[in-house]
Amino acid sequence: MPNLQIDMDQAQSLAESLGTWLDALGARQTSHQPVKPDHYRPFHWPPHQVSFDYLVPNSEWHGRAEMVVDGETYSVSVARTGFGIFGRCDALRAEAKSDTEEGMIKALIQTVKPLLARRKLIGESIESGTPFTGSFRDLDNLSLLKLFFCSDRSVAHDAQIEIETRGNLANVGPALITILNETRHKHRRTAQWLVLDLFEDLPSYFPTEEGQAQALEAIKQLLWTAEDDYARTVYKAGVVLGGHVCTEAAANVILECVDCPSRIGRRSAMHASFHLCEWLPSRRPDVLRALRKSSASDKEPILQKYCTALIKDIETEQIDHVADPIFPDEP
């Protein structure tokens, strides 16, 4: 059931604080073009402990050494065995092995660098002034939403998971709309994809019809003005409308956007219209009418063909549809 505990003052304050932060960043940026993000790669820590492969017993870890990384000194436990020299840094939950102690320390430094880089990036993203060494559970909602815009998609994704697992989801709803409306942050496509992923359960973030209408309007504007589909964000918008929200209001947004100015947005809406017929079959005649119009008049010949194929798939009640086309000049 949707979470109905809404603190409107808290929700509005969060949205305003996030908007102020985004405005300040936007004013400092020389370009407002979005950056195409790398593919999402989950971050797992701790890494595999090499000592497990060699069955090194606890009794062997009686040596001591030090490791210096980025000016910080870390204590290292050392085990000298017939298989080599093992090092373990408990503070960073990492291990390494080599034939010499020097080689082991070098290997251990390489092992922990991704963790330290991630901590530094999180600290910079939330503007804490120092690397972040805590848990995402320690962060407030504003800090987590700032991390939606992190250049590292694994950080942004983990922040989203933390938001999703907290209570009172409706209190972050207005701030999520702020993210969908953002037009200047270079990493906005990742952040917007994460918001759309949360909006698959739209009533949890907007229990009222008024709130849902505001969210749908933000999705519509994203489709209406899209100049790219980085991170498959615009595609995701159509999936949410036609495959998850599936209300009359969502149907109206899809049908409007089948003829919107953005070719990227039109493609997403066309795709969404197929799934709308599955989940809201009463709108099937409206969908077919809109697709027939586009099949004859869309400015992009590739989308005309796409609509023709979708019409056939809908009329023959195919369980899947023709693949979405890719424009020849898409990056």
Side-chain angles (χ1 to χ4, degrees):
M1 292 292 293
N3 190 324
L4 297 177
Q5 297 181 12
I6 310 174
D7 184 329
M8 295 306 299
D9 290 339
Q10 179 182 349
Q12 190 59 35
S13 176
L14 177 62
E16 291 175 356
S17 296
L18 182 63
T20 298
W21 177 74
L22 288 168
D23 286 343
L25 287 180
R28 296 198 300 265
Q29 291 180 351
T30 57
S31 172
H32 296 149
Q33 291 298 314
V35 172
K36 185 177 182 179
D38 293 332
H39 293 296
Y40 165 59
R41 297 178 179 83
F43 182 82
H44 299 294
W45 202 268
H48 176 69
Q49 295 181 313
V50 65
S51 65
F52 286 0
D53 297 334
Y54 293 87
L55 303 177
V56 179
N58 290 334
S59 59
E60 293 294 325
W61 296 91
H62 44 70
R64 293 290 180 269
E66 288 186 341
M67 171 180 68
V68 180
V69 190
D70 297 334
E72 293 288 333
T73 301
Y74 299 90
S75 176
V76 177
S77 299
V78 180
R80 295 177 173 82
T81 74
F83 300 108
I85 299 177
F86 296 79
R88 173 188 292 164
C89 179
D90 290 326
L92 300 177
R93 301 168 67 199
E95 289 187 0
K97 169 188 174 294
S98 184
D99 293 333
T100 65
E101 183 170 312
E102 180 183 7
M104 176 271 290
I105 293 294
K106 288 181 178 179
L108 189 55
I109 290 174
Q110 291 303 311
T111 298
V112 302
K113 275 188 174 181
L115 173 65
L116 298 180
R118 178 181 167 93
R119 288 179 170 183
K120 181 179 179 182
L121 182 59
I122 294 173
E124 291 172 348
S125 298
I126 62 176
E127 300 169 315
S128 65
T130 59
F132 179 71
T133 60
S135 165
F136 276 23
R137 291 189 297 273
D138 303 329
L139 296 175
D140 60 19
N141 285 339
L142 179 59
S143 295
L144 290 170
L145 293 175
K146 288 179 179 180
L147 291 178
F148 277 37
F149 293 89
C150 185
S151 59
D152 185 331
R153 290 187 72 176
S154 72
V155 171
H157 181 271
D158 290 347
Q160 181 220 38
I161 295 298
E162 179 60 29
I163 284 285
E164 190 174 24
T165 55
R166 291 187 172 183
N168 298 331
L169 298 179
N171 289 339
V172 302
L176 297 180
I177 289 179
T178 298
I179 293 176
L180 279 190
N181 289 334
E182 171 60 22
T183 60
R184 293 179 295 178
H185 198 291
K186 62 182 178 180
H187 297 304
R188 62 184 178 270
R189 291 302 186 226
T190 294
Q192 290 164 342
W193 190 98
L194 293 171
V195 169
L196 290 165
D197 191 52
L198 295 175
F199 279 4
E200 289 183 358
D201 182 20
L202 193 64
S204 288
Y205 297 89
F206 300 98
T208 68
E209 289 187 7
E210 179 184 2
Q212 291 180 28
Q214 293 171 356
L216 291 176
E217 178 62 26
I219 296 175
K220 174 185 171 181
Q221 290 305 313
L222 181 66
L223 290 166
W224 206 264
T225 60
E227 297 179 354
D228 60 80
D229 200 11
Y230 295 158
R232 298 288 275 163
T233 299
V234 182
Y235 169 84
K236 182 72 171 180
V239 170
V240 170
L241 291 173
H244 295 276
V245 180
C246 304
T247 61
E248 293 289 348
N252 292 337
V253 171
I254 292 171
L255 293 169
E256 286 184 71
C257 290
V258 166
D259 193 32
C260 73
S262 165
R263 62 176 185 168
I264 305 293
R266 295 199 304 276
R267 178 178 61 187
S268 178
M270 292 166 183
H271 172 203
S273 72
F274 176 90
H275 297 292
L276 181 63
C277 291
E278 294 178 310
W279 302 112
L280 202 61
S282 63
R283 300 306 295 266
R284 188 172 183 266
D286 299 327
V287 167
L288 288 172
R289 190 179 305 114
L291 292 178
R292 288 192 182 104
K293 178 183 176 183
S294 294
S295 69
S297 62
D298 195 278
K299 297 176 183 178
E300 297 286 343
I302 196 171
L303 292 182
Q304 291 184 21
K305 294 179 181 179
Y306 183 45
C307 286
T308 299
L310 286 174
I311 291 168
K312 180 180 178 181
D313 291 339
I314 292 170
E315 290 181 332
T316 57
E317 298 184 345
Q318 294 294 312
I319 61 173
D320 204 354
H321 59 80
V322 64
D324 290 3
I326 298 175
F327 297 108
D329 58 338
E330 278 193 270

